[in-house]
Amino acid sequence: MTQVRPMRADARRNYERLLKVAAEAFAEHGEGASLDDIAKRAGVGSGTLYRHFPTRQALLEAAYVDRIEALAVRADELGEELPPGEALVEWLNELCVGTIQVRGMKSLLGSAVTDGSAAAVTACGTNMKEAAARLVEAAQREGTLRPDIEPIDVLRLAHGVATASELAKGDRSAIRRYVSLLTEGLRPAR
Amino acid sequence: MTQVRPMRADARRNYERLLKVAAEAFAEHGEGASLDDIAKRAGVGSGTLYRHFPTRQALLEAAYVDRIEALAVRADELGEELPPGEALVEWLNELCVGTIQVRGMKSLLGSAVTDGSAAAVTACGTNMKEAAARLVEAAQREGTLRPDIEPIDVLRLAHGVATASELAKGDRSAIRRYVSLLTEGLRPAR
DNA sequence: ACCTGAACACCGTTCAAGT
DNA sequence: ACCTGAACACCGTTCAAGT
């Protein structure tokens, strides 16, 4: 398939420096961190940043792709350890907490689950959707999840809970309340 | 109290033109609409915009203050027409739908319920929080709402549901599902 | 008292020139 | 093949000059 010729040594060095600096910058200043600043801090011209990462989303995704993959793997682990319903609840918990702790990841998750967005067909989006699908389908077979919920709904709602939690800033009890509310609402009608 | 001297005729004219144009611009381009463009379309210098509305939030709030007030009034109407639990559910429905339909209102609601934000002590924020408090307390007395939920939680969660719904873009059934999930989750534990 | 618009600072993006 | 950084466009914000 897509024959990936190895990068030239300097290109690869720049690519990796950019990723490292970008992760720091997003963590520090949020998803809107200055791209020019990232290039400067990485010691490269701004054009180089654009050559490697044509859009802000591309950089965001590259900087966090390993965390996304870890979350997808975690879904499968939980699916093996716990009954389907509990696995989904626990995964949602970790997903929401993780999304809030790592600034910038929320917007990445968001664009991955936006309908009609070109970014929706990214590796990270597909990864997450497949992971969610496995947990969702198992829980629905078991009867512990509302049957009208689609995998992508779960991801969107996690994004919503993360957004609500951000509004609570320092309030640690709020996020716990919001996640529990989400998982309660996901249970089938009484 | 704050003695409000009437504005000079030209100042008042500009103020009103700015509000009208701003509402249009926010509806068209979202909360990030260009302020310079708003000033130009209103036929005033950019300095005039800043004189009347020192921050983007101030303009946003002024443009939508009537809608916010209508929502607060609506809360009381529903409180008289329906049993407390149903009133809250119906109000949340209208709040979420209204927030999604009017672009720009979501960020206004968001900043109104952000902890530690200076904007939290705005007229619109207090208005909404008081309206929510009346419904929340009544429903909790009735026993149809989880006792650990605070009025501000309800507003933050509505904001979260609106965010999740935005990700679904055109999907009309998604928002219904997300709101129903929120109201289900708000019911006391079984 | 209020308005105007030039001036400034900042940021994203492109591209000609360089290696 | 890749990098650099000047150049451009755009936006928010301030403020001296004008009425």
Side-chain angles (χ1 to χ4, degrees):
Chain A
M1 296 271 149
T2 39
Q3 166 74 350
V4 251
R5 289 217 281 74
M7 280 190 213
R8 226 169 62 178
D10 54 346
R12 159 149 292 270
R13 212 169 21 242
N14 285 336
Y15 181 88
E16 272 159 12
R17 276 199 59 76
L18 278 168
L19 270 192
K20 187 167 164 258
V21 170
E24 288 167 13
F26 288 137
E28 196 174 345
H29 300 109
E31 45 189 282
S34 158
L35 296 184
D36 195 61
D37 187 58
I38 290 174
K40 273 208 184 67
R41 279 212 257 170
V44 305
S46 45
T48 302
L49 190 153
Y50 282 94
R51 158 172 288 267
H52 288 299
F53 310 102
T55 65
R56 177 182 295 274
Q57 277 305 316
L59 181 57
L60 215 44
E61 175 159 7
Y64 289 132
V65 71
D66 50 343
R67 289 178 192 272
I68 295 284
E69 266 165 23
L71 276 169
V73 169
R74 188 75 185 125
D76 291 335
E77 282 176 17
L78 290 169
E80 283 170 23
E81 287 171 20
L82 298 171
E86 290 174 38
L88 179 61
V89 166
E90 179 54 25
W91 189 62
L92 277 177
N93 236 305
E94 297 184 10
L95 176 59
C96 290
V97 171
T99 305
I100 291 158
Q101 279 172 347
V102 183
R103 294 187 66 177
M105 245 190 66
K106 212 195 66 174
S107 86
L108 181 55
L109 178 62
S111 74
V113 295
T114 301
D115 237 26
S117 146
V121 254
T122 57
C124 105
T126 333
N127 237 341
M128 289 296 276
K129 271 177 251 172
E130 283 171 3
R134 287 189 286 271
L135 290 179
V136 162
E137 280 155 23
Q140 280 172 339
R141 271 197 300 275
E142 190 196 33
T144 46
L145 173 66
R146 285 168 55 149
D148 61 339
I149 294 292
E150 313 249 354
I152 201 170
D153 291 330
V154 165
L155 296 177
R156 287 191 193 132
L157 288 163
H159 181 269
V161 165
T163 304
S165 301
E166 271 182 357
L167 298 177
K169 290 273 170 73
D171 187 349
R172 304 275 296 150
S173 82
I175 169 167
R176 237 176 298 132
R177 234 175 313 150
Y178 299 162
V179 174
S180 85
L181 201 137
L182 168 60
T183 54
E184 274 300 312
L186 285 171
R187 295 172 63 176
R190 312 154 227 212
Chain B
M1 296 271 154
T2 39
Q3 165 74 348
V4 252
R5 288 216 283 72
M7 281 189 209
R8 224 169 63 178
D10 54 348
R12 157 149 292 271
R13 209 168 24 240
N14 285 337
Y15 182 89
E16 273 160 11
R17 277 198 59 76
L18 278 168
L19 270 193
K20 186 165 163 258
V21 170
E24 288 167 11
F26 288 138
E28 194 174 346
H29 300 109
E31 46 188 278
S34 158
L35 296 184
D36 194 62
D37 187 58
I38 290 175
K40 274 209 184 66
R41 279 211 256 171
V44 306
S46 44
T48 302
L49 189 152
Y50 283 93
R51 159 171 288 266
H52 288 298
F53 311 101
T55 65
R56 178 182 294 274
Q57 277 305 318
L59 180 57
L60 215 44
E61 175 158 7
Y64 289 132
V65 71
D66 50 343
R67 289 178 193 271
I68 296 284
E69 266 165 24
L71 276 170
V73 169
R74 188 73 185 128
D76 291 335
E77 281 176 19
L78 290 169
E80 283 171 22
E81 286 171 19
L82 298 172
E86 289 174 40
L88 179 60
V89 167
E90 179 54 25
W91 189 62
L92 276 177
N93 236 306
E94 297 184 12
L95 176 57
C96 290
V97 172
T99 305
I100 291 158
Q101 279 172 347
V102 182
R103 296 187 66 176
M105 244 190 70
K106 211 195 64 172
S107 85
L108 181 55
L109 179 61
S111 73
V113 294
T114 300
D115 237 27
S117 145
V121 254
T122 55
C124 105
T126 334
N127 237 341
M128 289 296 277
K129 272 177 250 172
E130 283 171 3
R134 287 189 286 271
L135 290 179
V136 162
E137 281 155 22
Q140 281 172 338
R141 271 196 302 274
E142 190 197 35
T144 47
L145 173 65
R146 286 167 54 148
D148 62 339
I149 295 293
E150 313 250 354
I152 201 170
D153 291 329
V154 165
L155 296 177
R156 287 190 194 133
L157 287 162
H159 182 270
V161 165
T163 304
S165 301
E166 270 181 357
L167 298 177
K169 292 276 169 71
D171 187 351
R172 304 275 295 149
S173 82
I175 168 167
R176 237 176 298 133
R177 233 172 316 149
Y178 300 161
V179 174
S180 86
L181 202 138
L182 169 59
T183 55
E184 274 300 312
L186 286 170
R187 296 173 63 176
R190 315 155 222 213

Short mmCIF file of all heavy atoms in Angstrom, two decimals, chain B residues 47-79:
data_model
loop_
_atom_site.label_atom_id
_atom_site.label_comp_id
_atom_site.label_asym_id
_atom_site.label_seq_id
_atom_site.Cartn_x
_atom_site.Cartn_y
_atom_site.Cartn_z
N GLY B 47 -14.04 51.50 17.73
CA GLY B 47 -13.95 52.04 19.08
C GLY B 47 -15.31 52.18 19.74
O GLY B 47 -15.46 52.00 20.95
N THR B 48 -16.30 52.51 18.95
CA THR B 48 -17.65 52.68 19.47
C THR B 48 -18.20 51.36 20.00
O THR B 48 -18.86 51.32 21.05
CB THR B 48 -18.58 53.23 18.37
OG1 THR B 48 -18.03 54.45 17.91
CG2 THR B 48 -19.98 53.46 18.90
N LEU B 49 -17.91 50.29 19.28
CA LEU B 49 -18.33 48.98 19.75
C LEU B 49 -17.74 48.71 21.14
O LEU B 49 -18.44 48.28 22.05
CB LEU B 49 -17.91 47.91 18.76
CG LEU B 49 -18.44 46.50 18.98
CD1 LEU B 49 -18.53 45.75 17.66
CD2 LEU B 49 -17.59 45.69 19.95
N TYR B 50 -16.44 49.00 21.28
CA TYR B 50 -15.77 48.73 22.55
C TYR B 50 -16.26 49.64 23.66
O TYR B 50 -16.27 49.27 24.83
CB TYR B 50 -14.25 48.83 22.39
CG TYR B 50 -13.69 47.61 21.71
CD1 TYR B 50 -13.51 47.58 20.34
CD2 TYR B 50 -13.40 46.48 22.45
CE1 TYR B 50 -13.02 46.44 19.72
CE2 TYR B 50 -12.92 45.34 21.83
CZ TYR B 50 -12.73 45.33 20.47
OH TYR B 50 -12.27 44.21 19.86
N ARG B 51 -16.64 50.84 23.30
CA ARG B 51 -17.18 51.76 24.31
C ARG B 51 -18.45 51.17 24.92
O ARG B 51 -18.63 51.16 26.13
CB ARG B 51 -17.47 53.11 23.66
CG ARG B 51 -18.46 53.99 24.39
CD ARG B 51 -18.50 55.36 23.78
NE ARG B 51 -17.27 56.08 24.09
CZ ARG B 51 -17.14 56.92 25.13
NH1 ARG B 51 -18.17 57.11 25.95
NH2 ARG B 51 -16.02 57.53 25.35
N HIS B 52 -19.32 50.65 24.06
CA HIS B 52 -20.59 50.11 24.57
C HIS B 52 -20.43 48.72 25.17
O HIS B 52 -21.06 48.39 26.17
CB HIS B 52 -21.62 50.06 23.44
CG HIS B 52 -22.13 51.40 23.05
ND1 HIS B 52 -22.83 52.22 23.92
CD2 HIS B 52 -22.05 52.08 21.89
CE1 HIS B 52 -23.15 53.33 23.30
NE2 HIS B 52 -22.68 53.29 22.06
N PHE B 53 -19.60 47.89 24.52
CA PHE B 53 -19.45 46.50 24.97
C PHE B 53 -17.97 46.15 25.08
O PHE B 53 -17.35 45.76 24.10
CB PHE B 53 -20.15 45.56 23.97
CG PHE B 53 -21.55 45.97 23.63
CD1 PHE B 53 -21.83 46.62 22.44
CD2 PHE B 53 -22.59 45.72 24.52
CE1 PHE B 53 -23.11 47.01 22.13
CE2 PHE B 53 -23.88 46.11 24.22
CZ PHE B 53 -24.15 46.76 23.02
N PRO B 54 -17.41 46.30 26.28
CA PRO B 54 -15.97 46.15 26.47
C PRO B 54 -15.45 44.76 26.13
O PRO B 54 -14.30 44.60 25.78
CB PRO B 54 -15.77 46.44 27.96
CG PRO B 54 -17.05 46.97 28.47
CD PRO B 54 -18.13 46.58 27.51
N THR B 55 -16.29 43.74 26.24
CA THR B 55 -15.85 42.38 25.96
C THR B 55 -16.83 41.70 25.02
O THR B 55 -17.97 42.12 24.88
CB THR B 55 -15.76 41.52 27.23
OG1 THR B 55 -17.10 41.36 27.75
CG2 THR B 55 -14.88 42.15 28.28
N ARG B 56 -16.37 40.66 24.37
CA ARG B 56 -17.24 39.87 23.51
C ARG B 56 -18.42 39.32 24.31
O ARG B 56 -19.56 39.31 23.84
CB ARG B 56 -16.45 38.72 22.88
CG ARG B 56 -17.26 37.79 22.00
CD ARG B 56 -16.41 36.66 21.48
NE ARG B 56 -15.38 37.14 20.58
CZ ARG B 56 -15.55 37.33 19.28
NH1 ARG B 56 -16.73 37.06 18.74
NH2 ARG B 56 -14.59 37.77 18.54
N GLN B 57 -18.12 38.87 25.53
CA GLN B 57 -19.18 38.34 26.39
C GLN B 57 -20.27 39.38 26.64
O GLN B 57 -21.45 39.07 26.64
CB GLN B 57 -18.61 37.87 27.73
CG GLN B 57 -18.00 36.48 27.70
CD GLN B 57 -18.98 35.42 27.20
OE1 GLN B 57 -20.15 35.42 27.54
NE2 GLN B 57 -18.50 34.53 26.35
N ALA B 58 -19.85 40.62 26.87
CA ALA B 58 -20.82 41.67 27.15
C ALA B 58 -21.77 41.85 25.97
O ALA B 58 -22.98 42.00 26.15
CB ALA B 58 -20.09 42.98 27.45
N LEU B 59 -21.22 41.80 24.78
CA LEU B 59 -22.04 41.97 23.58
C LEU B 59 -22.98 40.77 23.40
O LEU B 59 -24.16 40.92 23.11
CB LEU B 59 -21.14 42.13 22.36
CG LEU B 59 -21.83 42.31 21.02
CD1 LEU B 59 -22.76 43.51 21.04
CD2 LEU B 59 -20.80 42.47 19.90
N LEU B 60 -22.41 39.60 23.61
CA LEU B 60 -23.18 38.37 23.49
C LEU B 60 -24.36 38.39 24.46
O LEU B 60 -25.50 38.07 24.11
CB LEU B 60 -22.25 37.20 23.82
CG LEU B 60 -22.38 35.86 23.10
CD1 LEU B 60 -22.57 36.06 21.61
CD2 LEU B 60 -21.15 35.02 23.38
N GLU B 61 -24.05 38.80 25.68
CA GLU B 61 -25.10 38.81 26.69
C GLU B 61 -26.18 39.83 26.35
O GLU B 61 -27.37 39.53 26.43
CB GLU B 61 -24.48 39.15 28.06
CG GLU B 61 -25.52 39.29 29.14
CD GLU B 61 -24.93 39.10 30.52
OE1 GLU B 61 -23.70 38.98 30.65
OE2 GLU B 61 -25.71 39.04 31.47
N ALA B 62 -25.76 41.01 25.93
CA ALA B 62 -26.73 42.05 25.60
C ALA B 62 -27.61 41.62 24.43
O ALA B 62 -28.80 41.90 24.40
CB ALA B 62 -26.00 43.35 25.26
N ALA B 63 -27.00 40.90 23.48
CA ALA B 63 -27.76 40.50 22.29
C ALA B 63 -28.81 39.44 22.62
O ALA B 63 -29.84 39.35 21.95
CB ALA B 63 -26.80 39.97 21.22
N TYR B 64 -28.57 38.66 23.65
CA TYR B 64 -29.46 37.54 23.93
C TYR B 64 -30.18 37.64 25.26
O TYR B 64 -30.86 36.71 25.68
CB TYR B 64 -28.67 36.23 23.88
CG TYR B 64 -28.26 35.85 22.49
CD1 TYR B 64 -26.96 35.47 22.20
CD2 TYR B 64 -29.19 35.88 21.44
CE1 TYR B 64 -26.59 35.12 20.91
CE2 TYR B 64 -28.83 35.54 20.16
CZ TYR B 64 -27.53 35.17 19.90
OH TYR B 64 -27.16 34.83 18.62
N VAL B 65 -30.04 38.79 25.92
CA VAL B 65 -30.60 38.91 27.27
C VAL B 65 -32.11 38.67 27.28
O VAL B 65 -32.65 38.08 28.22
CB VAL B 65 -30.24 40.28 27.90
CG1 VAL B 65 -31.01 41.39 27.23
CG2 VAL B 65 -30.46 40.26 29.39
N ASP B 66 -32.78 39.07 26.21
CA ASP B 66 -34.23 38.88 26.19
C ASP B 66 -34.62 37.41 26.10
O ASP B 66 -35.60 36.97 26.69
CB ASP B 66 -34.88 39.69 25.06
CG ASP B 66 -34.18 39.47 23.74
OD1 ASP B 66 -33.03 38.95 23.76
OD2 ASP B 66 -34.74 39.80 22.69
N ARG B 67 -33.82 36.64 25.36
CA ARG B 67 -34.09 35.20 25.25
C ARG B 67 -33.87 34.50 26.58
O ARG B 67 -34.58 33.59 26.96
CB ARG B 67 -33.19 34.57 24.19
CG ARG B 67 -33.58 34.97 22.77
CD ARG B 67 -32.60 34.35 21.79
NE ARG B 67 -32.73 34.94 20.47
CZ ARG B 67 -33.57 34.49 19.54
NH1 ARG B 67 -34.34 33.46 19.81
NH2 ARG B 67 -33.64 35.06 18.37
N ILE B 68 -32.80 34.94 27.27
CA ILE B 68 -32.52 34.36 28.59
C ILE B 68 -33.67 34.65 29.54
O ILE B 68 -34.15 33.76 30.26
CB ILE B 68 -31.22 34.96 29.15
CG1 ILE B 68 -30.02 34.58 28.27
CG2 ILE B 68 -31.00 34.51 30.59
CD1 ILE B 68 -29.55 33.16 28.44
N GLU B 69 -34.13 35.88 29.52
CA GLU B 69 -35.24 36.23 30.40
C GLU B 69 -36.49 35.42 30.07
O GLU B 69 -37.20 34.96 30.96
CB GLU B 69 -35.54 37.73 30.31
CG GLU B 69 -34.82 38.52 31.38
CD GLU B 69 -34.80 40.00 31.09
OE1 GLU B 69 -35.68 40.48 30.35
OE2 GLU B 69 -33.88 40.69 31.60
N ALA B 70 -36.71 35.21 28.79
CA ALA B 70 -37.88 34.42 28.37
C ALA B 70 -37.78 33.00 28.93
O ALA B 70 -38.78 32.42 29.37
CB ALA B 70 -37.97 34.38 26.85
N LEU B 71 -36.57 32.45 28.93
CA LEU B 71 -36.38 31.09 29.46
C LEU B 71 -36.63 31.04 30.96
O LEU B 71 -37.22 30.08 31.47
CB LEU B 71 -34.97 30.59 29.15
CG LEU B 71 -34.77 29.98 27.77
CD1 LEU B 71 -33.30 29.75 27.47
CD2 LEU B 71 -35.54 28.67 27.67
N ALA B 72 -36.21 32.09 31.66
CA ALA B 72 -36.45 32.14 33.10
C ALA B 72 -37.94 32.23 33.39
O ALA B 72 -38.47 31.55 34.28
CB ALA B 72 -35.70 33.32 33.71
N VAL B 73 -38.63 33.07 32.63
CA VAL B 73 -40.09 33.20 32.79
C VAL B 73 -40.76 31.86 32.51
O VAL B 73 -41.66 31.41 33.22
CB VAL B 73 -40.66 34.27 31.84
CG1 VAL B 73 -42.17 34.23 31.80
CG2 VAL B 73 -40.17 35.66 32.27
N ARG B 74 -40.29 31.22 31.46
CA ARG B 74 -40.86 29.92 31.06
C ARG B 74 -40.76 28.90 32.19
O ARG B 74 -41.64 28.07 32.37
CB ARG B 74 -40.11 29.42 29.81
CG ARG B 74 -40.69 28.19 29.18
CD ARG B 74 -41.97 28.50 28.43
NE ARG B 74 -42.56 27.24 27.94
CZ ARG B 74 -43.81 26.86 28.15
NH1 ARG B 74 -44.62 27.65 28.81
NH2 ARG B 74 -44.24 25.71 27.68
N ALA B 75 -39.65 28.96 32.95
CA ALA B 75 -39.47 28.03 34.07
C ALA B 75 -40.61 28.19 35.07
O ALA B 75 -41.18 27.21 35.55
CB ALA B 75 -38.12 28.27 34.73
N ASP B 76 -40.96 29.44 35.36
CA ASP B 76 -42.02 29.67 36.33
C ASP B 76 -43.39 29.25 35.79
O ASP B 76 -44.20 28.69 36.51
CB ASP B 76 -42.04 31.15 36.73
CG ASP B 76 -40.80 31.50 37.55
OD1 ASP B 76 -40.24 30.58 38.18
OD2 ASP B 76 -40.37 32.67 37.55
N GLU B 77 -43.62 29.53 34.52
CA GLU B 77 -44.87 29.08 33.89
C GLU B 77 -45.04 27.58 34.03
O GLU B 77 -46.08 27.09 34.48
CB GLU B 77 -44.87 29.43 32.39
CG GLU B 77 -45.19 30.86 32.07
CD GLU B 77 -45.05 31.12 30.57
OE1 GLU B 77 -45.07 30.14 29.79
OE2 GLU B 77 -44.93 32.29 30.19
N LEU B 78 -43.99 26.85 33.65
CA LEU B 78 -44.04 25.39 33.71
C LEU B 78 -44.22 24.92 35.15
O LEU B 78 -44.93 23.94 35.40
CB LEU B 78 -42.77 24.79 33.10
CG LEU B 78 -42.67 24.95 31.59
CD1 LEU B 78 -41.27 24.57 31.10
CD2 LEU B 78 -43.71 24.07 30.90
N GLY B 79 -43.60 25.63 36.08
CA GLY B 79 -43.72 25.27 37.48
C GLY B 79 -45.15 25.35 37.99
O GLY B 79 -45.56 24.64 38.90
#
